[in-house]
């Protein structure tokens, strides 16, 4: 058996052997200190790594939170903007008035187009009439749908064109664009309030005429009718903040501007017969 002293000596011998192998001779003490420094450095390194890991995790979590908050802010701002630009129009609003009056305006264009489509032998006139029928009926459906979605009746209590009071482009409410195209009749009723509307007498004349005379009257009446529609489409664009209304009004303006130029050209190519 060995006592405590012997055990200590054995450990010292082992330590000495290690130190001798590393540093040799009397340098063992220095080598032990160096080894201790290395051990402490290793310990310190482990602590630093742990702190770095913890810090990195916190930064990752913070970055994720910031990104989520940013996304939420964008979504909320978009929703607020949508609400502000798409609030439901009221019964006396510009949007409701435009939707009702433009449906009435379009309905007459469709009526005139059906009259000429069924009687003309001019294929270009028939094609134009078909285009007006299909495009304006589709737009009427859009405006009818708006009023349904807004929870409003298809007819309002205000007189036609009240939403455009004060005029636009020189038009004043209560005056109609005169369709002095050789047709007879004076503006009465709703036609007196809506720009470009043909009178009942002018519509009857369109039904009664035949051949080139009917074709020319149709082009004349529809040109004036489109010009009135342009006034309405341009007027609402400066009065509404509802995007759907603005988009449709711009589409009407673009299409009817092109059709006016087309009809003026067609009219020039079809001189009146004597």
């Amino acid at each position: 058996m060995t006592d405590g002293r012997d055990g200590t000596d054995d450990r010292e011998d082992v330590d000495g052997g290690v130190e001798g192998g590393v540093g040799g001779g009397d340098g063992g003490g220095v080598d032990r200190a160096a080894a201790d420094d290395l051990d402490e450095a290793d310990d310190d390194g482990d602590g630093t790594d742990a702190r770095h890991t913890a810090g990195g995790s916190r930064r990752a979590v913070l970055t994720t939170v910031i990104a989520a908050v940013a996304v939420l802010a964008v979504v909320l701002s978009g929703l607020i903007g949508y609400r502000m630009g798409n609030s439901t129009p009221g019964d006396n609003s510009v949007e409701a008035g435009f939707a009702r009056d433009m449906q009435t305006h379009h309905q007459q264009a469709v009526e005139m187009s059906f009259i000429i489509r069924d009687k003309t032998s001019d294929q270009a006139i028939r094609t134009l009439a078909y285009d007006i029928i299909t495009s304006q009926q589709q737009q009427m459906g859009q405006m009818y749908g708006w009023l349904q979605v807004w929870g409003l009746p298809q007819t309002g209590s205000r007189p036609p064109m009240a939403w455009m009071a004060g005029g636009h482009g020189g038009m004043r409410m209560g005056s109609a664009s005169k369709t002095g195209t050789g047709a007879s009749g004076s503006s009465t009723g709703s036609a007196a309030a809506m720009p470009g509307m043909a009178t009942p007498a002018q519509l009857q004349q369109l039904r009664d005429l035949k051949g080139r005379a009917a074709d020319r009257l149709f082009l004349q009446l529809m040109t004036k009718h489109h010009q009135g529609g342009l006034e309405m489409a341009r007027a609402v664009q400066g009065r509404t903040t509802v995007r759907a209304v603005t988009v449709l009004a711009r589409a009407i303006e673009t299409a009817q501007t092109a059709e006016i130029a087309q009809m003026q050209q067609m009219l020039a190519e079809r001189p009146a017969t004597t």
Side-chain angles (χ1 to χ4, degrees):
M1 289 182 63
T2 59
D3 56 17
R5 178 64 182 171
D6 292 338
T8 301
D9 291 339
D10 291 340
R11 286 193 297 272
E12 289 175 354
D13 290 340
V14 171
D15 290 342
V18 171
E19 292 165 2
V22 175
D26 294 337
V30 175
D31 291 340
R32 174 181 292 179
D36 290 341
D37 290 340
L38 289 173
D39 290 341
E40 290 174 3
D42 289 340
D43 291 340
D44 291 343
D46 292 342
T48 301
D49 290 343
R51 287 192 298 274
H52 286 169
T53 301
S57 299
R58 285 193 296 272
R59 282 193 296 272
V61 171
L62 182 59
T63 300
T64 302
V65 171
I66 292 173
V69 170
V71 170
L72 181 60
V74 170
V75 172
L76 288 176
S77 64
L79 289 174
I80 292 171
Y82 177 83
R83 284 294 185 183
M84 291 179 66
N86 295 275
S87 57
T88 302
D91 190 54
N92 293 330
S93 65
V94 166
E95 294 80 11
F98 172 77
R100 290 165 179 150
D101 289 345
M102 190 59 88
Q103 283 189 75
T104 300
H105 204 269
H106 274 19
Q107 180 57 51
Q108 189 181 80
V110 170
E111 180 183 2
M112 290 192 293
S113 297
F114 270 120
I115 291 171
I116 198 66
R117 187 203 66 172
D118 294 340
K119 67 191 302 183
T120 186
S121 59
D122 189 319
Q123 185 57 47
I125 296 286
R126 182 179 290 112
T127 298
L128 173 63
Y130 176 80
D131 289 343
I132 292 172
I133 290 167
T134 54
S135 64
Q136 297 208 12
Q137 281 185 329
Q138 187 272 335
Q139 292 169 352
M140 289 167 63
Q142 283 185 259
M143 292 180 282
Y144 181 95
W146 292 345
L147 294 168
Q148 291 283 91
V149 170
W150 298 338
L152 301 176
Q154 294 299 318
T155 57
S157 58
R158 304 182 74 192
M161 303 304 297
W163 63 273
M164 202 169 141
H168 179 82
M171 190 206 82
R172 294 174 56 187
M173 205 186 89
S175 67
S177 299
K178 298 298 181 181
T179 54
T181 58
S184 61
S186 59
S187 297
T188 59
S190 62
M194 291 188 187
M197 292 285 280
T199 67
Q202 289 169 336
L203 293 177
Q204 187 58 50
Q205 188 175 14
L206 181 61
R207 294 185 184 96
D208 294 340
L209 290 175
K210 299 182 184 301
R212 176 68 61 85
D215 293 342
R216 283 181 56 82
L217 180 58
F218 169 76
L219 292 172
Q220 291 167 339
L221 291 177
M222 191 61 74
T223 296
K224 292 293 185 180
H225 196 275
H226 273 22
Q227 289 169 342
L230 286 181
E231 291 184 24
M232 296 168 67
R234 288 168 179 160
V236 78
Q237 290 179 58
R239 291 167 166 81
T240 185
T241 59
V242 178
R243 184 175 181 275
V245 175
T246 301
V247 169
L248 179 59
R250 286 175 181 168
I252 291 172
E253 181 179 6
T254 299
Q256 295 197 8
T257 298
E259 287 175 350
I260 287 171
Q262 179 185 1
M263 289 187 290
Q264 289 173 336
Q265 179 64 33
M266 293 173 72
L267 192 60
E269 294 170 350
R270 293 162 175 79
T273 57
T274 57

